Amino acid sequence: MATIEYRTSVASAAPPPVSDAFVLQLRTHAARVPALPVRPLTGREVAVAVCYAADEGQDLPLDLSAMKRIVIDPRERTARLQPGVTPDELRQAAFYWGLTPLGDPGLVWDGMVLENLVAAHVVTPGGELVEADDALLRELRRGGAPGIVVDATYRL
């Protein structure tokens, strides 16, 4: 089940800390089971994993399915989604406010969805968590950009 928040636009004070459990998962992964993916819960944990993999000189498979946060802003008619959110979870959250998703966010490269992309946070190949500027948003709307999208905001 997705974590769902209904609120108006409010900037968060600080990013959530990287949990000790996630750091332990990274160390266990590198030491014992390199074929199993790690499961970050936040963009910051994705950034830590990318840096860790670069430092260790190894590939690190990531499973983003546990990243299921949805934030609906009914005034702005937007939904901020993490990559693990399913289309049904988004539809249910939007329906609560009488809103409808424009396209299927499960089809990440669907033109209709990309047209409605208004913001995103991306972990760069260097492990930096950044808010997408206009140039990066244009790249994402065209169907690709370097890095890992850890949340995206769409118009509803």
Side-chain angles (χ1 to χ4, degrees), residues 51-95:
C51 288
Y52 184 83
D55 289 348
E56 294 295 315
Q58 69 178 42
D59 290 334
L60 184 66
L62 295 175
D63 175 359
L64 305 181
S65 65
M67 296 178 69
K68 292 185 150 302
R69 187 169 181 225
I70 302 171
V71 179
I72 300 285
D73 185 335
R75 280 194 207 135
E76 294 294 322
R77 299 179 62 90
T78 60
R80 182 175 172 185
L81 313 171
Q82 286 186 318
V85 174
T86 67
D88 284 339
E89 290 166 338
L90 173 59
R91 277 191 282 279
Q92 288 174 4
F95 181 75

Side-chain angles (χ1 to χ4, degrees), residues 114-148:
L114 292 176
E115 286 174 10
N116 295 303
L117 178 67
V118 295
H121 287 93
V122 177
V123 174
T124 67
E128 185 180 1
L129 178 60
V130 298
E131 185 170 351
D133 60 13
D134 289 338
L136 184 53
L137 280 174
R138 276 193 300 279
E139 282 187 63
L140 289 169
R141 286 186 194 115
R142 280 197 302 257
I148 301 167

